[in-house]
């Protein structure tokens, strides 16, 4: 195999967002080093501007339908990659906005914080474009590197250190699994590029893919691979937790969709069983353990595990509609989760606590935050007319078309279980009286994030059609790839866009 | 203008709730003003709807259809038939009354009205949805406001666990017994209500998803599904698919109705809720169950309905008797009314189970009538609670000295609830009893006994609250004197008695909705023949109703109430 490394300018256009962001990152770092007196919020604004320009560039790609491959298919820019890049860049922007106040808690390296966040985002942008096992490995490690540092950023805080160490040890273990899986798969197929691969049904290849799935399962926090999630989410600085709970999951799902719907399309009967099992375990475990939580970050961590179980239903459906539903669901999850974490950060700043008991009477202390949190939690629970409900229903519709009744029944039961613990938080905020009735103030950027979260949650919930059109369009390439096993092939013109 | 009538009714409360977000809590009068204005728009529009609905033509009218998602096959498809119209009217009346009943709420007034308006708008949305997705959407949307209304403005049920039966055994709440978390608090009531309703809502959602999948039409539209869905004779799990779907849909929606084994959330919720919420809850929220069963199970699976509806006929007996007996022994005003409501919902199930023109019309009219009667009773129980801060029957008494107006209205409310001639409840009860007699004589005997039981517990409560010696501590209580306090009661009494004396319009409207439905259920053609017919305008409902042999209709309608029942033929 020879790599053709001659590049034309037109080819580099596909890399424009990444190239631009890399340059901008260097600028941020240089500004940080050269002006040590500069308040770190300026760096935050600088990073947000850079990300916003990247987002605009991606939106332009999306509108003009730029697509193509680079470096012998190692890097692919299709519409799904653009969707996930926008997802990652958008969530990174919101995370940086929520961080501006929080960063004051760090004793050192405030400027580098923004650098590391954007660097992780850059890694994930490469990850969603990875079309090759090598670029997959490199980009995953690239993005995780930033997170290893970010999770342990509160140097004086023991829980943060513990979180960082736990994340690092398990993360490196997952990287080992990934590398081993890649070597097995390469050994069996002799190919690295996803779309060229025709994996044989040998134990070696299957074990290899299983190991790759385990490594990605670690990224998304699905149940057998979830053990790092609660402690890491609890100990990490809250904006990092928010980042960790959204962006890597999106990036990992981009890979999972490519892996299962392109490479392993022929093995669908086999991996459906795997995904059904993982999905049921994630939903049930996440929701049941979340009931016992007393800390809001841990609650959101377990609820995140359960949400991932829901997304996996869409993957288990294994159709184009299933992948639409995944994209849609992740978008609703983005708005609800970033909003919920923004409220957690704002409340944490004001009252210095992340215990659910300290949310008592939040409605009297800050009606705005309480109302926003109510809507975010209900969206996560899947209550109409909020985005989460449409997301769940989309997933269920995709699954019911494939006849995955067990999954749907378990998913529906889990909606009810999750309703309980979300409502416990609602009860604290709305029904209980506050111990300390002093009002809670919200800073400007935080308010902006909460408003964006509210707008997304409500707008998608009330009129989802534009977003549905977008996600249906973003996964058009899978309408071919899945083939007749999907069972919906005859009716494709009805909903194929 | 009238083309968009349903949109006005549905979105006026939503718009009110939205406007209230921008009204500061420091101006309570403006808050109430916005709430009154939006509920008034809704009320006027629904009264217009009631009289503008063409009962001769029948079918779904004022239909609005906006595509919502083409990929998922969802459209905001609104329309009302003769069954929906009275229920929309009842919701609007109760919302209007409820706004006035909650006039004296001072704690977080704005939030209260926001959630009340959303609750009412969501229930109205269910009554006009012609799309399974939106039916579920509004149904589920009405649950969360209940949680906040109960939790934030509700009252604790102090005496609940002390409720005893004559042998001195403690009566306890079944679910509270299992998950015993502060089983007599309003938080418990609110949580139980939401979890119960959500749990059964997802059961119904499973049924809806199965309909969607097996119809294979990529649509949730009820009108399309009822014509073209082929759900019969698909073997699944040792039975057929249509039966499974029917059971899921029936029990999913019957839990909110609430039918007997699934009722336990309801009285707890009634008791904890503030007055206006109890009114909407008992008045219209519970009817979502019957209505959704009619709309989904009756419309889409008529053959299965005919086969399986006897389940309801069996369970309704337990509803009537159990609810009545608990109401008789309960010592809490709101429990009495709450259990009486769940007992009375058994009549609706009986009327639905008998599946003929008279009984089903009776069931629909009963839903309307019960909304008014129970709305009155809850409004007055709320007033008494606000004045005395207790709902405990033994400690109350003699309040008619202090509140003659309330006492007078209470008598009227009890009469309406019992079904005295002159109230619309009488018409409805008679129609259910007469219509069901041929098919379920045993149940009818139980239903009549249930009326006697109703008489007993309501009179017992009336005596305990308003007559007898009055405790000195209630000397500060006062009557409803102001117009805002009297208006809601007067409106509900006027509606109840008005339709009791002049029921013809209500009857015509309801019959226009019931006739094609019953015709479809009782005179079902073989599936093959139906397929051939499906092209030739079978959705013309007047034509469908002409299939009924007139002789049979006369047979059912003959009994002595013909003075009230103008034959629509």
């Amino acid at each position: 195999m020879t790599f053709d490394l001659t590049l034309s300018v037109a080819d580099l256009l596909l890399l424009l967002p990444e190239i631009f962001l890399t340059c901008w990152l260097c600028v941020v770092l240089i500004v940080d080093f050269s002006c040590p007196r500069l308040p770190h919020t300026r760096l935050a604004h600088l990073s947000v501007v850079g990300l916003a320009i990247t987002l605009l560039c991606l939106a332009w790609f999306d509108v003009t339908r730029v697509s193509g491959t680079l470096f012998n298919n190692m890097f692919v820019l299709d519409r799904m990659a653009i969707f996930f890049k926008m997802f990652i860049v958008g969530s990174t922007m919101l995370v940086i906005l929520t961080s501006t106040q929080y960063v004051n808690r760090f004793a050192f390296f405030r400027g580098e914080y923004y650098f590391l966040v954007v660097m992780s985002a850059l890694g994930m942008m490469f990850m969603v474009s990875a079309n090759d096992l090598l670029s997959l490995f490199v980009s995953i490690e690239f993005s995780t590197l930033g997170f290893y540092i970010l999770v342990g950023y509160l140097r004086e805080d023991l829980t943060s250190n513990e979180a960082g160490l736990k994340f690092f040890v398990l993360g490196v273990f997952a990287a080992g699994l990934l590398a081993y899986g890649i070597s097995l798969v390469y050994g069996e197929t002799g190919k690295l590029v996803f779309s060229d691969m025709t994996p044989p049904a040998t134990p070696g290849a299957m074990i290899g893919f299983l190991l790759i799935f385990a490594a990605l399962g670690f990224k998304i926090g699905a149940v057998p691979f979830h053990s790092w999630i609660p402690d890491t989410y609890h100990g990490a600085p809250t904006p990092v937790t928010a980042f960790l709970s959204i962006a890597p999951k999106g990036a990992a799902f981009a890979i999972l969709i490519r892996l299962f719907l392109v490479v392993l399309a022929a093995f669908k009967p086999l991996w459906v069983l795997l995904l059904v099992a993982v999905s049921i375990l994630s939903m049930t475990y996440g929701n049941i353990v979340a009931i016992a939580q007393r800390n809001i970050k841990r609650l959101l961590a377990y609820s995140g595990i359960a949400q991932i179980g829901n997304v996996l239903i869409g993957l288990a459906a294994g159709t184009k509609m299933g992948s639409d539903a995944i994209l849609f669901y992740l978008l609703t999850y983005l708005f609800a989760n970033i909003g919920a974490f923004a409220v957690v950060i704002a409340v944490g700043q004001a009252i210095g606590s992340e215990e659910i008991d300290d949310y008592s009477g939040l409605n009297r202390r800050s009606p705005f935050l309480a109302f926003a949190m109510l809507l975010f939690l209900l969206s996560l629970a899947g209550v109409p007319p909020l985005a989460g409900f449409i997301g769940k229903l989309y997933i269920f519709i995709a699954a019911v078309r494939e006849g995955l009744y067990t999954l749907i029944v378990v998913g529906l039961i889990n909606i009810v279980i999750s309703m309980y613990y979300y409502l416990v938080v609602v009860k604290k905020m709305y029904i209980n009286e506050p111990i300390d009735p002093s009002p809670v103030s919200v800073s400007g950027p935080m308010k902006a994030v909460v408003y964006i979260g509210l707008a997304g949650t409500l707008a998608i919930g009330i009129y989802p059609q534009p977003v549905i059109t977008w996600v249906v369009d973003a996964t058009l390439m899978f309408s071919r790839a899945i083939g007749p096993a999907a069972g919906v092939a005859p009716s494709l013109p009805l909903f194929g866009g | 203008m009238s083309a968009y009538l349903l949109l006005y009714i549905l979105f006026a409360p939503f718009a009110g709730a939205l406007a209230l977000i921008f009204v500061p809590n420091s101006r309570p009068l403006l808050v109430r003003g916005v709430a009154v204005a939006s509920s008034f728009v809704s009320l006027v529009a629904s009264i217009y709807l009631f009289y503008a609905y063409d009962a001769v033509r029948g079918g779904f009218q004022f239909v609005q259809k906006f595509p919502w998602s083409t990929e998922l096959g969802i459209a905001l498809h609104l329309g009302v038939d003769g069954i929906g119209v009275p229920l929309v009217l009842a919701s609007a009346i109760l919302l209007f009354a409820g706004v006035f009943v909650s006039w004296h709420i001072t704690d977080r007034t704005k939030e209260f009205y926001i959630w009340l308006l959303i609750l009412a708008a969501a229930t109205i949305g269910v009554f006009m949805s012609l799309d399974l997705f939106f039916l579920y959407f509004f149904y589920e949307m009405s649950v969360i406001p209940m949680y906040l209304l109960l939790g934030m403005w509700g009252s604790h049920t102090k005496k609940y666990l002390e409720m005893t039966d004559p042998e001195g055994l403690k009566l306890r709440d079944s679910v509270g017994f299992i998950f015993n978390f502060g089983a007599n608090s309003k938080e418990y009531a609110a949580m139980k209500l939401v979890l119960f309703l959500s749990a059964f809502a997802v059961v119904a959602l499973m049924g809806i998803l199965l309909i969607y999948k097996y119809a294979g039409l990529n649509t949730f539209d009820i009108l399309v599904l009822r014509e073209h869905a082929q759900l019969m004779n698909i073997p699944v799990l040792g039975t057929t698919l249509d039966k499974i779907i029917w059971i899921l849909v029936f029990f999913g929606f019957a839990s909110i109705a609430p039918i007997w084994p699934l009722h336990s959330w309801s009285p707890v919720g009634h008791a904890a809720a503030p007055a206006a919420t109890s009114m909407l809850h008992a008045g219209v929220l519970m009817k979502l169950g019957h209505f959704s069963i009619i709309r989904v199970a009756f419309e889409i699976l008529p053959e299965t309905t005919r086969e399986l509806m006897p389940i309801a006929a069996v369970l309704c007996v337990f509803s009537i008797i159990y609810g009545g007996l608990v109401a008789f022994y309960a010592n809490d005003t709101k429990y009495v009314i709450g259990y009486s409501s769940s007992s009375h919902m058994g009549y609706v199930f009986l009327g639905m189970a008998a599946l003929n023109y008279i009984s089903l019309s009776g069931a629909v009219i009963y839903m309307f009538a019960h909304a008014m009667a129970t709305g009155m009773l809850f409004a007055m129980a709320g007033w008494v609670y606000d004045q005395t801060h207790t709902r405990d029957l033994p400690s109350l008494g003699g309040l008619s000295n202090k509140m003659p107006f309330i006492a007078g209205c209470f008598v009227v409310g009890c009469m309406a609830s019992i079904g005295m001639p002159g109230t619309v409840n009488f018409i409805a009860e008679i129609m259910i009893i007469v219509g069901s007699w041929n098919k379920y004589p045993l149940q009818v005997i139980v239903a009549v006994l249930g009326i006697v039981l109703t008489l007993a517990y309501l009179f017992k409560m009336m005596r305990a609250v308003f007559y007898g010696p009055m405790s000195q501590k209630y000397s500060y209580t006062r009557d409803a004197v102001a117009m805002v306090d009297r208006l809601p009661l007067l409106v509900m009494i006027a509606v109840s008695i008005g339709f009791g004396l002049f029921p013809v319009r209500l009857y015509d409207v309801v019959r226009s909705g019931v006739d094609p439905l019953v015709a479809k259920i009782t005179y079902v053609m073989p599936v093959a023949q139906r397929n051939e017919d499906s092209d030739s305008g079978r959705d013309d409902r007047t034509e469908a109703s002409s299939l009924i042999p007139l002789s049979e209709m006369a047979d059912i309608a003959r009994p002595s109430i013909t003075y009230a029942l103008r034959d629509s033929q």
Side-chain angles (χ1 to χ4, degrees):
Chain A
M1 185 190 294
T2 54
F3 285 108
D4 175 19
L5 287 179
T6 52
L7 287 171
S8 68
V9 179
D11 285 344
L12 279 180
L13 179 76
L14 300 179
L15 268 175
L16 185 64
E18 282 84 358
I19 293 173
F20 171 78
L21 204 58
T22 313
C23 300
W24 198 273
L25 257 184
C26 298
V27 171
V28 171
L29 205 57
I30 291 166
V31 170
D32 180 36
F33 287 148
S34 54
C35 318
R37 292 289 193 66
L38 195 76
H40 67 84
T41 46
R42 294 290 163 78
L43 289 173
H45 298 156
L46 198 63
S47 318
V48 169
V49 168
L51 289 166
I53 296 171
T54 317
L55 195 61
L56 281 178
C57 175
L58 286 166
W60 173 58
F61 278 12
D62 195 50
V63 172
T64 54
R65 296 174 175 267
V66 174
S67 65
T69 56
L70 271 182
F71 315 127
N72 267 351
N73 274 335
M74 277 179 93
F75 178 96
V76 59
L77 190 82
D78 50 19
R79 295 180 60 71
M80 192 178 79
I82 295 175
F83 173 88
F84 275 110
K85 281 181 190 184
M86 290 174 80
F87 178 88
I88 287 158
V89 172
S91 59
T92 313
M93 264 169 78
L94 296 177
V95 164
I96 290 183
L97 284 176
T98 59
S99 316
T100 49
Q101 297 254 306
Y102 196 95
V103 170
N104 289 328
R105 291 197 194 176
F106 304 147
F108 307 101
F109 310 125
R110 290 175 178 173
E112 284 87 337
Y113 171 81
Y114 301 110
F115 170 78
L116 287 168
V117 168
V118 181
M119 193 192 88
S120 302
L122 191 60
M124 285 183 279
M125 284 171 73
F126 280 112
M127 195 168 147
V128 297
S129 281
N131 193 30
D132 169 293
L133 291 170
L134 284 181
S135 59
L136 169 69
F137 183 79
V138 172
S139 56
I140 283 189
E141 292 318 302
F142 180 26
S143 67
T144 321
L145 188 64
F147 277 118
Y148 289 146
I149 309 166
L150 285 169
V151 168
Y153 224 76
L154 289 165
R155 300 208 305 181
E156 279 75 32
D157 187 352
L158 276 179
T159 55
S160 180
N161 290 337
E162 184 204 336
L165 198 62
K166 200 163 190 174
F167 185 46
F168 179 70
V169 171
L170 288 173
V172 170
F173 183 61
L177 291 184
L178 181 61
Y180 189 45
I182 287 173
S183 69
L184 281 177
V185 169
Y186 181 64
E188 290 285 343
T189 61
K191 294 269 169 39
L192 284 170
V193 178
F194 290 161
S195 37
D196 300 349
M197 242 182 253
T198 43
T202 54
M206 290 303 112
I207 291 171
F209 280 113
L210 203 60
L211 291 173
I212 295 175
F213 175 71
L216 291 167
F218 172 84
K219 297 293 285 185
I220 59 175
V223 147
F225 324 108
H226 66 284
S227 58
W228 60 281
I229 291 231
D231 287 336
T232 306
Y233 277 29
H234 183 194
T238 318
V240 176
T241 310
F243 195 29
L244 204 53
S245 74
I246 297 163
K249 292 181 182 173
F253 265 104
I255 303 290
L256 283 172
I257 292 173
R258 282 186 207 287
L259 212 57
F260 281 111
L261 298 196
V262 178
V263 184
L264 294 171
F267 294 92
K268 190 179 170 196
L270 217 57
W271 52 257
V272 161
L273 295 177
L274 172 75
L275 290 177
V276 166
V278 172
S279 165
I280 289 179
L281 283 175
S282 302
M283 284 190 288
T284 316
Y285 176 84
N287 278 326
I288 288 178
V289 179
I291 292 175
Q293 300 309 313
R294 294 288 167 267
N295 180 292
I296 188 83
K297 278 162 81 178
R298 291 186 87 87
L299 182 121
L300 286 172
Y302 281 108
S303 106
I305 295 175
Q307 302 282 347
I308 285 307
N310 270 315
V311 187
L312 285 172
I313 298 179
L315 196 58
T319 54
K320 170 171 181 330
M321 193 177 194
S323 56
D324 299 345
I326 293 174
L327 266 57
F328 187 89
Y329 195 97
L330 286 171
L331 203 61
T332 68
Y333 178 69
L334 160 74
F335 285 115
N337 221 35
I338 194 79
F341 271 109
V343 175
V344 170
I345 296 167
V347 173
Q349 298 259 305
I351 64 178
S353 164
E354 278 143 7
E355 297 301 307
I356 295 175
D357 282 339
D358 293 318
Y359 280 69
S360 293
L362 188 64
N363 176 244
R364 294 209 191 272
R365 305 180 69 175
S366 170
F368 169 66
L369 281 184
F371 181 68
M373 191 66 164
L374 170 74
L375 290 195
F376 295 140
L377 292 181
L378 291 181
S379 178
L380 289 175
V383 171
L386 303 170
F389 170 70
I390 317 288
K392 287 209 162 77
L393 199 84
Y394 206 152
I395 294 249
F396 288 145
I397 290 177
V400 84
R401 283 175 174 233
E402 288 302 291
L404 298 168
Y405 300 118
T406 325
L407 264 186
I408 297 173
V409 169
V410 174
L412 288 173
I413 292 170
N414 273 292
I415 288 184
V416 182
I417 301 176
S418 72
M419 204 87 114
Y420 172 73
Y421 61 79
Y422 291 126
L423 284 179
V424 166
V425 181
V426 173
K427 167 180 166 294
K428 295 271 186 221
M429 293 192 302
Y430 273 85
I431 300 174
N432 291 16
E433 292 300 321
I435 305 153
D436 163 27
S438 61
V440 171
S441 63
V442 195
S443 70
M446 204 70 86
K447 225 174 201 163
V449 176
V450 174
Y451 273 125
I452 292 171
L454 279 180
T457 306
L458 280 170
I460 299 178
I462 290 168
Y463 190 62
Q465 184 56 36
V467 178
I468 292 179
T469 314
W470 186 28
V471 297
V472 165
D473 212 29
T475 56
L476 265 187
M477 68 249 194
F478 294 124
S479 46
R480 245 179 327 99
I482 298 157
V488 290
S491 60
L492 263 177
L494 269 178
F495 65 100
Chain B
M1 179 233 155
S2 69
Y4 298 110
L5 197 58
L6 294 185
L7 296 183
Y8 298 136
I9 301 173
L10 177 58
F11 287 107
F14 278 131
L18 201 65
L20 278 179
I21 292 177
F22 302 103
V23 178
N25 230 335
S26 54
R27 300 181 65 187
L29 214 59
L30 187 61
V31 169
R32 292 182 191 122
V34 172
V36 170
S38 57
S39 60
F40 187 69
V41 170
S42 201
L43 176 65
V44 169
S46 55
I47 291 173
Y48 179 76
L49 171 75
F50 184 76
Y51 285 100
Y53 180 83
D54 185 351
V56 178
R57 189 155 64 88
F60 289 99
Q61 296 178 17
F62 301 97
V63 175
Q64 295 282 306
K65 191 168 183 179
F66 304 99
W68 196 72
S69 167
T70 44
E71 276 74 18
L72 303 178
I74 300 167
L76 178 59
H77 194 176
L78 302 175
V80 281
D81 65 350
I83 299 170
V85 168
L87 292 172
V88 169
L89 180 64
S91 313
I93 294 172
L94 284 189
L95 171 64
F96 183 72
V99 168
F100 285 99
V101 166
S102 349
W103 203 259
H104 300 288
I105 283 179
T106 49
D107 176 31
R108 295 179 274 193
T109 319
K110 176 175 110 171
E111 276 103 327
F112 178 84
Y113 280 115
I114 290 177
W115 295 117
L116 190 71
L117 288 170
I118 291 178
L119 169 65
T123 50
I124 290 174
V126 176
F127 292 137
M128 45 178 74
S129 290
L130 290 182
D131 188 283
L132 285 176
F133 170 82
F134 271 100
L135 188 120
Y136 183 82
F137 185 91
F138 286 123
Y139 180 92
E140 185 67 20
M141 200 172 152
S142 65
V143 173
I144 290 300
M146 285 297 288
Y147 181 79
L148 294 161
L149 287 165
L150 258 69
M152 289 163 78
W153 296 276
S155 53
H156 291 297
T157 315
K158 294 199 186 67
K159 292 282 173 187
Y160 183 47
L161 284 184
E162 292 161 28
M163 213 160 69
T164 52
D165 70 352
E167 276 86 42
L169 294 169
K170 289 212 165 180
L171 296 176
R172 28 190 344 164
D173 173 29
S174 53
V175 177
F177 187 67
I178 300 165
F179 306 106
N180 209 345
F181 50 118
N184 52 359
S185 64
K186 59 183 180 180
E187 288 89 346
Y188 164 71
M191 187 65 89
K192 178 171 177 181
L193 183 145
V194 171
L195 292 186
F196 221 100
L197 292 188
S198 304
F200 282 93
V202 298
V203 172
L205 180 61
M206 188 71 211
I208 290 175
L209 286 174
L210 285 176
I211 292 175
Y212 174 82
K213 150 98 179 172
Y214 280 97
L217 301 168
N218 191 35
T219 180
F220 283 97
D221 197 315
I222 293 173
L223 296 187
V224 177
L225 287 172
R226 76 168 183 191
E227 298 301 335
H228 302 295
Q230 304 294 330
L231 300 167
M232 308 302 293
N233 305 326
I234 302 171
V236 181
L237 298 175
T239 171
T240 51
L241 179 77
D242 57 306
K243 290 204 177 86
I244 289 182
I245 295 176
W246 196 90
I247 293 283
L248 289 171
V249 167
F250 179 80
F251 282 100
F253 287 126
S255 69
I256 202 175
I259 205 163
W260 165 63
L262 314 175
H263 66 280
S264 76
W265 60 274
S266 159
V268 189
H270 283 120
T277 313
S278 300
M279 285 165 61
L280 278 171
H281 174 182
V284 289
L285 204 68
M286 287 178 8
K287 277 79 176 177
L288 295 186
H290 305 110
F291 178 82
S292 306
I293 290 170
I294 291 178
R295 195 54 103 225
V296 182
F298 282 29
E299 290 275 9
I300 298 176
L301 297 164
E303 291 95 335
T304 324
T305 302
R306 194 183 41 189
E307 217 170 316
L308 293 182
M309 206 54 198
I311 294 176
V314 173
L315 292 178
C316 76
V317 175
F318 294 95
S319 278
I320 294 172
I321 292 300
Y322 181 88
L325 285 177
V326 178
F328 187 74
Y329 289 119
N331 271 335
D332 177 312
T333 50
K334 284 196 172 176
Y335 267 103
V336 176
I337 309 172
Y339 270 107
S340 106
S341 292
S342 64
S343 159
H344 286 173
M345 288 303 100
Y347 292 100
V348 180
F349 274 116
L350 176 58
M352 282 162 65
L355 280 178
N356 63 47
Y357 303 100
I358 298 296
S359 74
L360 191 57
S361 311
V364 176
I365 297 178
Y366 198 91
M367 289 192 233
F368 179 82
H370 180 260
M372 294 306 127
T374 202
M376 276 184 256
L377 291 178
F378 269 120
M380 285 177 286
W383 180 270
V384 170
Y385 178 76
D386 280 350
Q387 294 299 316
T388 62
H389 301 291
T390 182
R391 303 194 309 253
D392 189 31
L393 284 180
S395 69
L396 288 164
L399 290 175
S400 64
N401 302 322
K402 284 290 167 188
M403 32 182 93
F405 176 78
I406 294 289
C409 291
F410 204 85
V411 176
V412 179
C414 287
M415 294 305 167
S417 198
I418 293 159
M420 278 280 281
T423 61
V424 63
N425 299 59
F426 170 71
I427 317 277
E429 258 171 30
I430 284 293
M431 285 172 72
I432 292 175
I433 286 169
V434 169
S436 314
W437 176 254
N438 282 340
K439 206 163 178 185
Y440 297 115
L442 190 70
Q443 275 86 341
V444 168
I445 292 169
V446 170
V448 174
L449 288 177
I451 295 174
V452 178
L453 208 54
T454 309
L455 201 73
Y457 60 71
L458 283 179
F459 275 26
K460 175 174 166 255
M461 179 170 73
M462 198 157 76
R463 195 198 59 205
V465 176
F466 291 105
Y467 302 103
M470 190 186 74
S471 161
Q472 272 310 303
K473 61 183 171 182
Y474 299 134
S475 52
Y476 61 86
T477 56
R478 56 185 189 81
D479 198 5
V481 183
M483 201 53 216
V484 287
D485 298 333
R486 290 191 168 185
L487 184 68
L489 294 176
L490 292 176
V491 166
M492 288 184 280
I493 289 173
V495 172
S496 189
I497 293 179
F499 281 117
L501 297 177
F502 306 101
V504 176
R505 172 72 195 164
L506 182 61
Y507 176 76
D508 283 349
V509 169
V510 170
R511 266 313 273 273
S512 76
V514 165
D515 280 2
L517 201 57
V518 175
K520 194 174 161 191
I521 293 168
T522 48
Y523 287 89
V524 187
M525 286 175 284
V527 176
Q529 197 182 339
R530 226 177 60 166
N531 286 346
E532 291 161 15
D533 276 21
S534 61
D535 314 307
S536 56
R538 251 183 61 82
D539 55 339
D540 187 351
R541 311 202 79 182
T542 45
E543 191 186 309
S545 63
S546 69
L547 291 168
I548 314 153
L550 278 173
S551 57
E552 167 143 3
M553 270 184 80
D555 270 354
I556 304 162
R558 189 169 298 137
S560 60
I561 50 157
T562 37
Y563 82 95
L565 312 176
R566 199 179 70 192
D567 202 331
S568 61
Q569 301 298 307

